[in-house]
Amino acid sequence: MSEKTVEIDVENERGETQEQDETRDGAGGNETTREEVAVETRNLNVWYGEDRAIRDINMKVPEKKVTALIGPSGCGKSTFLRCINRMNDQIDGARVEGEVLFHGKNVYDDDVDPVALRRRIGMVFQKPNPFPKSIRDNVAYGLKIQGKTDSLDERVETALRQAALWDEVSDQLDGSGLDLSGGQQQRLCIARAIAPDPEVILMDEPASALDPVATSKIEDLIDDLSRDYTVVIVTHNMQQAARISDKTAVFLTGGELVEFGDTEKIFENPESQKVEDYITGKFG
Amino acid sequence: MSSETDDLFGGGDLSKERLKGRAFLAFCFAASVFGVFALALLLLDVFSQAATGVFVRDIDVVRFLTNSASRFPDQAGFYAAIVGSAWLMVLTVILSFFIGVGTAVYLEEFAPDNRWKRLVEANLANLAGVPSVVYGLLVLAAVVNLGNPLTGGRVGPILLAGAIALALLIMPIIIVSAQEALRAVPEGVRRGSYATGATNWQTVRNVVLPAAIPGILTGTILALARAIGETAPLIMVGALLTARRAPDGPFDSFGAMPTMIYYWADRPEIDFQYLAAIGIVVLLLILLAMNATAVYLRNKYETEYQ
């Protein structure tokens, strides 16, 4: 029913985006060459009322890689993440300027339906938020509302396997999702996000409410997911960013993207002194 | 003992403060017991009267439940009143539930937070405080005294009019309790639904309402329990004080349990007083059953979020 507006023309636009090689220089010269771009932002600004949460962000998120967004609290990294699937629309008083290009199409154009956009860009939140439904219904939720109801059970199983949760819950699919442990709930939420097969998965500090064991499971999972999906993850844990990401974007107070590039380079030899100070723990 | 440790033993100012504390505690405890005590006294009085009626005056309980109003105390029963009240409850819940829940869903899930929404909410709070007799007057003017195009007369004191008065009376209660049930559904759950690509309607329909429905039902039952004992609005719309026969439908004249009790309690004959007491016991038992259902629903379907 609401598949209406955004049929972003995948093939056409994609070709176009990857042609134009990185002639544009984002904040902190990124050398993404020959990589397909999943999401690109141009001069992205977000205001909450009078406060400017992020300023002039230019960034190219590579396809089927893990991109980590790090920075101190209040630096705008979560705001940036929410711009990508327009979850900021839900926040009163949030105003977005600039462009977020998904396959070359600005998702803030009037003819883009945010609901249709979110069907292609899934999201996992900081606090596990399973629905008060059975495990099966949790995973099947996106499929059902998107009308993808053929071979539902298989799709549910696939998603649970991808989320590394199948072995733990296969005998209790009708049990409530709320009865699982925190780490299991978060993996259930990941299964719910990937079940309808989106292209991009946004994760907002997905492991920050979990214990170390559950965290390491989520980290392994993210690594696996990047084979099939583009993952953008916000984390306040720098070691985590270093462990799991291919690209790292460092936001600093004031909502500026200070440096963006290969994770190895950011952590070993950052260009900006501020980034080095942040990473070595001098502030933040 | 050195004088340096003397003040460790209390006394003086400290024991005075302690005494004040104990006096205050005693007052608070007495206040909390007072309500329970008053209720117990009331129940004792009603139940002892009812028991006297049944065991001393030989009022047959089965006949009481199967006969309807009569001039003769030994023939009089509660049946028509019970049926009348049952009809009232069914119509009241139909009239108030959907409008009430619809209002709550609109206010909580869709309405932008603007002056209009605040105006509606302020009015709801006011409506909840309107005396029930006023709703009776309103329905008397707006429904009962309205011209009936079929008969040429007025609509008259029909069952539906009584149900409308009761529905208006409990609608604010249903709305407020449904709003609370909706608010208890965590924001994260809604966000999870939107992020999965659900529309507003799909989110409300598939996630929010199912999670809130136990709370909504509990609030509705408690509101109905309030309505079933209401007497003033029914008298205002012209309910029969003596329910001699059960109503045939929504457009029939009707009597109800509270009006029947009111009538009996007003009669000089002592036997009618006992009938009133037994009627009150029946009404109380029905109320108790409704409240128990509400508590049961709440406990059984309550969702524990982390």
Side-chain angles (χ1 to χ4, degrees):
Chain A
M1 41 189 251
S2 61
E3 253 95 312
K4 39 164 204 173
T5 30
V6 197
E7 271 326 315
I8 296 165
D9 193 336
V10 187
E11 301 313 325
N12 276 347
E13 306 283 7
R14 179 179 287 174
E16 207 176 72
T17 346
Q18 77 200 65
E19 289 305 313
Q20 28 161 284
D21 250 1
E22 321 304 322
T23 40
R24 300 171 61 79
D25 203 321
N30 74 53
E31 279 130 45
T32 330
T33 43
R34 303 295 166 208
E35 263 172 348
E36 296 194 21
V37 176
V39 175
E40 178 181 355
T41 67
R42 288 183 188 163
N43 298 320
L44 188 66
N45 287 276
V46 177
W47 275 268
Y48 295 127
E50 295 294 301
D51 300 325
R52 197 171 179 184
I54 57 175
R55 41 182 84 222
D56 297 326
I57 308 289
N58 290 287
M59 190 166 144
K60 286 177 177 164
V61 177
E63 199 166 54
K64 296 192 179 171
K65 297 264 193 265
V66 179
T67 301
L69 312 177
I70 62 172
S73 306
C75 67
K77 54 197 193 296
S78 291
T79 297
F80 176 80
L81 192 76
R82 284 195 302 266
C83 282
I84 299 176
N85 67 344
R86 289 187 60 174
M87 283 298 278
N88 277 337
D89 292 16
Q90 308 276 329
I91 297 171
D92 278 342
R95 189 158 51 85
V96 177
E97 276 178 19
E99 295 181 318
V100 176
L101 302 175
F102 181 52
H103 296 300
K105 172 78 180 168
N106 182 10
V107 303
Y108 284 93
D109 280 349
D110 288 342
D111 57 351
V112 173
D113 183 339
V115 171
L117 176 72
R118 292 182 203 126
R119 293 178 175 193
R120 300 192 36 198
I121 304 181
M123 188 164 191
V124 176
F125 297 85
Q126 179 173 5
K127 197 166 164 260
N129 56 356
F131 303 137
K133 296 173 180 291
S134 71
I135 292 170
R136 187 199 314 276
D137 286 346
N138 262 285
V139 182
Y141 183 75
L143 296 166
K144 281 185 186 161
I145 57 166
Q146 299 184 22
K148 300 172 178 171
T149 47
D150 53 306
S151 55
L152 206 59
D153 284 346
E154 288 150 50
R155 285 168 181 261
V156 167
E157 181 178 339
T158 311
L160 282 169
R161 282 190 192 282
Q162 280 181 297
L165 189 59
W166 176 254
D167 294 338
E168 291 161 59
V169 302
S170 59
D171 56 346
Q172 53 173 97
L173 291 178
D174 293 314
S176 170
L178 295 174
D179 292 340
L180 299 174
S181 73
Q184 288 175 322
Q185 287 192 0
Q186 194 60 299
R187 278 178 283 148
L188 179 64
C189 292
I190 292 173
R192 181 177 74 193
I194 60 183
D197 209 26
E199 292 164 47
V200 180
I201 299 170
L202 310 176
M203 296 187 169
D204 192 356
E205 303 191 23
S208 67
L210 305 179
D211 63 65
V213 177
T215 299
S216 94
K217 280 189 183 162
I218 300 276
E219 288 183 7
D220 292 345
L221 173 57
I222 290 168
D223 197 39
D224 291 341
L225 288 177
S226 66
R227 268 184 270 130
D228 301 314
Y229 304 97
T230 301
V231 179
V232 186
I233 177 171
V234 166
T235 173
H236 58 227
N237 178 335
M238 280 179 281
Q239 286 71 34
Q240 186 173 65
R243 279 194 299 267
I244 62 176
S245 68
D246 303 296
K247 292 267 179 185
T248 297
V250 186
F251 287 72
L252 291 178
T253 319
E256 274 176 85
L257 173 60
V258 181
E259 196 162 339
F260 176 53
D262 291 334
T263 297
E264 234 167 83
K265 179 164 186 308
I266 296 274
F267 279 90
E268 277 162 21
N269 184 24
E271 278 171 23
S272 152
Q273 185 60 39
K274 281 200 233 166
V275 170
E276 187 167 347
D277 288 350
Y278 176 66
I279 282 168
T280 53
K282 286 200 182 132
F283 82 99
Chain B
M1 288 248 196
S2 81
S3 59
E4 280 171 22
T5 60
D6 277 356
D7 60 346
L8 283 181
F9 302 106
D13 279 355
L14 190 53
S15 46
K16 210 193 276 170
E17 288 302 314
R18 287 263 159 72
L19 200 65
K20 281 189 211 163
R22 271 200 291 275
F24 184 64
L25 180 72
F27 168 75
C28 290
F29 180 73
S32 68
V33 165
F34 179 77
V36 178
F37 182 70
L39 181 67
L41 210 63
L42 194 76
L43 287 178
L44 190 72
D45 181 52
V46 169
F47 275 87
S48 72
Q49 281 235 26
T52 312
V54 172
F55 298 114
V56 181
R57 294 284 175 146
D58 275 334
I59 296 173
D60 185 345
V61 177
V62 175
R63 199 183 58 213
F64 179 79
L65 292 175
T66 50
N67 276 17
S68 295
S70 164
R71 274 181 295 146
F72 310 105
D74 57 337
Q75 297 291 321
F78 214 33
Y79 174 72
I82 297 175
V83 175
S85 279
W87 265 108
L88 276 177
M89 288 305 100
V90 171
L91 291 177
T92 301
V93 81
I94 292 172
L95 290 172
S96 57
F97 182 78
F98 297 101
I99 298 179
V101 175
T103 307
V105 168
Y106 175 73
L107 289 176
E108 284 305 308
E109 305 296 325
F110 295 101
D113 194 15
N114 57 19
R115 202 181 291 169
W116 165 246
K117 179 186 167 180
R118 282 192 291 275
L119 185 76
V120 171
E121 287 191 324
N123 274 306
L124 285 176
N126 286 333
L127 278 179
V130 171
S132 60
V133 67
V134 175
Y135 287 106
L137 273 172
L138 172 70
V139 173
L140 177 67
V143 180
V144 177
N145 287 344
L146 211 65
N148 183 339
L150 296 177
T151 62
R154 50 175 208 146
V155 170
I158 57 174
L159 184 67
L160 185 61
I164 292 173
L166 294 182
L168 288 174
L169 174 70
I170 65 169
M171 205 153 348
I173 309 176
I174 292 183
I175 294 170
V176 169
S177 65
Q179 277 184 291
E180 274 163 20
L182 291 167
R183 247 177 258 149
V185 179
E187 203 47 46
V189 167
R190 289 185 183 80
R191 281 207 303 267
S193 174
Y194 290 128
T196 318
T199 61
N200 264 357
W201 156 242
Q202 286 174 324
T203 300
V204 170
R205 162 73 188 76
N206 297 310
V207 178
V208 179
L209 267 185
I213 210 76
I216 293 175
L217 289 184
T218 304
T220 305
I221 294 172
L222 292 178
L224 278 182
R226 157 99 198 270
I228 200 172
E230 276 295 336
T231 322
L234 297 184
I235 292 177
M236 270 298 147
V237 302
L240 301 172
L241 293 184
T242 53
R244 289 181 202 284
R245 58 174 189 83
D248 289 331
F251 303 104
D252 203 356
S253 60
F254 72 105
M257 286 192 276
T259 51
M260 189 78 246
I261 292 168
Y262 172 77
Y263 174 74
W264 279 335
D266 205 32
R267 293 289 295 255
E269 296 95 323
I270 186 73
D271 276 332
F272 280 115
Q273 307 295 321
Y274 292 121
L275 289 176
I278 303 173
I280 291 171
V281 169
V282 172
L283 182 56
L284 280 178
L285 289 178
I286 292 174
L287 269 175
L288 208 65
M290 290 171 85
N291 287 353
T293 312
V295 171
Y296 172 78
L297 278 178
R298 185 165 56 208
N299 291 343
K300 178 147 194 254
Y301 294 106
E302 199 171 43
T303 313
E304 299 281 349
Y305 299 100
Q306 288 182 334

